[in-house]
Amino acid sequence: MEPKKMGSAFKRFCMRFCCCCCAEDEDDEEEKQPLVTPDPLDYFTREVQKRRDEETNLWSEPGDPSHSERDDDRTLYTLLQARNMTRVGSTGYRRLSVDIEAMRDTRREVRDKWKTVLENLGFMAEADSLLTVSAGASADRMRNAPAARAMLHTLHTETSIFCSKEPPPERYLFILDRLLYLDIAEDFLAKAKRFYPPNDDSDEEMPGLAINLPLLLARVEAMNGRGNDDHEEEDESEKDD
């Protein structure tokens, strides 16, 4: 049989009894190639920015891309969105920036406490890595979820490492799961109890941690409801000052 006829016969066989991918022409494969090749540098830049945002905001629910499952995440996200729509340098922009940094400072302070305990246990070089939780974190991948949750509750109720009566951030559940895997969780808990004993009921929470989330949300909604005329009035008042 001639080569061309043999080739066409084999193609018909594949189309009838095999998958169609065997019989695709090279031209078809070329047509499936994307017209615009994704830029690897652009992808890398976006990933770096994403990681930087995660470490800056320290989301309580790192696996929630909408940042709406927890009140504190939803408030911070709303503040960030409102600032993005506000003119840079305006009074409203500065007010939003102050509120955003107050929430970020609260989260950084908690993280610093955890870092202090880890470094005291001898994990000076590994502390930052152990405390990093990416957006891809999933409870399905945890090795000791029940034990980690029980220990998170103990830290919340028997220490002042969180300095707040609000539910502890879920991000620390993943960190405790790592510590359990490394068999240092009990040491961490003992050290945390010693470094950060529970506050008395009469003790006041630290000013930076006493953030009124409903008040912040109401302020953002009020700012969003204001029109351009209000922004112009702000600008005029700034000029008069």
Side-chain angles (χ1 to χ4, degrees):
M1 184 180 292
E2 295 180 4
K4 289 185 178 179
K5 292 182 179 179
M6 177 180 275
S8 61
F10 176 74
K11 185 181 296 185
R12 286 196 302 272
F13 173 82
C14 288
M15 293 179 66
R16 184 173 181 181
F17 300 103
C18 191
C19 60
C20 59
C21 59
C22 301
E24 289 181 345
D25 294 330
E26 293 181 359
D27 294 338
D28 296 337
E29 294 180 0
E30 292 179 359
E31 290 178 1
K32 289 185 177 181
Q33 296 297 325
L35 297 177
V36 180
T37 305
D39 185 359
L41 182 60
D42 182 57
Y43 173 79
F44 178 76
T45 302
R46 282 188 281 107
E47 284 299 306
V48 170
Q49 183 60 44
K50 183 179 177 182
R51 293 290 180 88
R52 186 180 296 117
D53 290 342
E54 289 173 0
E55 286 304 302
T56 301
N57 296 314
L58 296 173
W59 300 108
S60 297
E61 290 277 3
D64 172 27
S66 66
H67 309 303
S68 62
E69 293 183 4
R70 280 180 59 109
D71 290 342
D72 54 346
D73 278 354
R74 183 167 59 254
T75 300
L76 177 56
Y77 184 72
T78 302
L79 290 170
L80 290 168
Q81 293 297 102
R83 190 175 67 172
N84 289 339
M85 296 184 291
T86 305
R87 185 175 63 79
V88 177
S90 66
T91 302
Y93 186 93
R94 292 194 294 269
R95 287 174 179 170
L96 288 168
S97 296
V98 169
D99 293 334
I100 289 169
E101 285 308 307
M103 294 197 70
R104 286 174 171 173
D105 285 343
T106 299
R107 296 170 180 225
R108 280 193 292 263
E109 186 167 359
V110 173
R111 186 182 185 277
D112 288 344
K113 288 183 177 182
W114 281 68
K115 186 175 181 179
T116 297
V117 176
L118 286 172
E119 288 180 341
N120 194 266
L121 289 171
F123 294 90
M124 278 77 71
E126 300 85 1
D128 286 328
S129 297
L130 288 171
L131 292 172
T132 299
V133 182
S134 68
S138 172
D140 296 336
R141 301 176 185 176
M142 295 178 61
R143 301 177 181 88
N144 301 285
R149 189 167 293 281
M151 189 164 289
L152 184 66
H153 176 74
T154 301
L155 284 166
H156 183 233
T157 56
E158 299 182 18
T159 76
S160 58
I161 199 166
F162 291 110
C163 295
S164 173
K165 294 180 180 180
E166 298 297 324
E170 288 287 304
R171 68 181 299 109
Y172 292 100
L173 191 65
F174 300 100
I175 296 170
L176 285 171
D177 185 62
R178 296 172 186 170
L179 302 186
L180 285 164
Y181 179 74
L182 296 172
D183 198 25
I184 60 172
E186 291 295 339
D187 294 335
F188 181 92
L189 178 59
K191 192 78 69 173
K193 287 182 176 180
R194 199 175 89 190
F195 281 17
Y196 306 106
N199 295 326
D200 296 333
D201 294 338
S202 59
D203 291 345
E204 295 182 358
E205 290 185 348
M206 297 180 64
L209 296 171
I211 296 177
N212 191 324
L213 300 183
L215 178 61
L216 286 179
L217 283 174
R219 184 186 302 174
V220 173
E221 291 174 358
M223 291 186 65
N224 289 338
R226 296 164 64 185
N228 294 328
D229 294 339
D230 292 337
H231 289 295
E232 291 177 0
E233 290 178 5
E234 284 186 0
D235 296 339
E236 289 297 329
S237 62
E238 289 175 4
K239 290 179 182 178
D240 294 339
D241 294 339

